[in-house]
């Protein structure tokens, strides 16, 4: 599992990969850049789905179709807009920098509480790292406007 947050134009995510009750690594990249017509694609859920997603875009680099996952959520960014793909349904989530925050994954409740208390996207993931066993490692941040990853470990 993982924790991914969105607030004020930033998407933050942890780098831990877990399987059941075992931490496999603290250095997992849970996003892809510039694939399938999207600027950014991140995934929550199982590590098997992460590998499926990576393989899908390696095999179908320019595909505008998206794979479906039963247990995972995709967070997609295209032209400054954020979309969510859950259970085969895609919908637009975010359009402006005033958006107050959203979170996905195993640490989302902690992260949502942190954002409600005034924390930014990165700080909310760090709160989830502290309280959620399945969230850990470092924090990667995607700046939607700049279209780049900011690693702030």
């Amino acid at each position: 599992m993982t924790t991914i947050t969105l607030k004020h134009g930033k998407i933050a995510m942890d780098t831990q990969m877990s399987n059941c009750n075992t931490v496999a690594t603290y250095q997992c990249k849970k996003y892809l850049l510039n694939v399938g017509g999207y600027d950014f694609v991140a995934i929550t859920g199982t590590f098997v789905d992460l590998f499926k997603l990576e393989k899908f875009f390696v095999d179908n680099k320019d595909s505008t179709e998206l794979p479906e996952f039963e247990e995972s959520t995709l967070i997609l960014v295209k032209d400054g807009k954020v979309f969510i793909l859950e259970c085969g349904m895609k919908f637009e989530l975010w359009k402006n920098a005033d958006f107050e925050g959203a979170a996905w994954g195993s640490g989302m409740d902690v992260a949502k509480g942190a954002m409600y208390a005034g924390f930014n996207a990165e700080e909310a993931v760090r709160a989830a790292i502290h309280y959620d066993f399945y969230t850990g490692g470092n924090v990667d941040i995607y700046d939607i406007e700049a279209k780049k990853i900011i690693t702030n470990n």
Side-chain angles (χ1 to χ4, degrees):
M1 294 301 277
T2 192
T3 301
I4 298 178
T5 59
L6 164 65
K7 188 171 182 181
H8 299 305
K10 304 284 191 295
I11 298 173
M13 67 221 86
D14 70 303
T15 61
Q16 176 178 303
M17 179 187 292
S18 306
N19 183 26
C20 298
N21 291 325
T22 303
V23 174
T25 182
Y26 289 110
Q27 301 301 320
C28 179
K29 185 177 88 168
K30 299 178 181 177
Y31 63 88
L32 301 169
L33 298 173
N34 303 312
V35 293
Y38 291 93
D39 302 318
F40 173 85
V41 178
I43 188 169
T44 69
T46 68
F47 73 89
V48 172
D49 284 349
L50 173 63
F51 292 130
K52 284 181 185 177
L53 180 67
E54 288 179 341
K55 181 171 179 7
F56 175 83
F57 282 119
V58 165
D59 294 345
N60 307 284
K61 183 168 174 54
D62 297 322
S63 175
T64 56
E65 298 292 317
L66 292 167
E68 292 182 21
F69 302 104
E70 292 180 20
E71 298 180 32
S72 296
T73 299
L74 296 181
I75 295 92
L76 312 149
V77 178
K78 182 175 185 172
D79 300 327
K81 295 180 181 174
V82 177
F83 301 88
I84 305 303
L85 180 67
E86 287 184 312
C87 302
M89 296 177 62
K90 179 180 162 187
F91 56 93
E92 187 172 353
L93 178 70
W94 179 79
K95 295 182 188 178
N96 63 60
D98 295 329
F99 188 76
E100 285 302 315
W104 301 270
S106 59
M108 72 179 181
D109 293 334
V110 172
K112 285 178 183 178
M115 287 187 289
Y116 180 77
F119 291 9
N120 65 30
E122 176 187 359
E123 293 165 334
V125 171
R126 292 197 185 281
I129 287 170
H130 186 74
Y131 289 104
D132 178 46
F133 174 81
Y134 299 103
T135 302
N138 296 312
V139 179
D140 288 332
I141 304 155
Y142 179 73
D143 185 310
I144 293 171
E145 186 177 335
K147 295 185 178 183
K148 68 178 187 176
I149 291 290
I150 304 164
T151 303
N152 194 8
N153 302 311

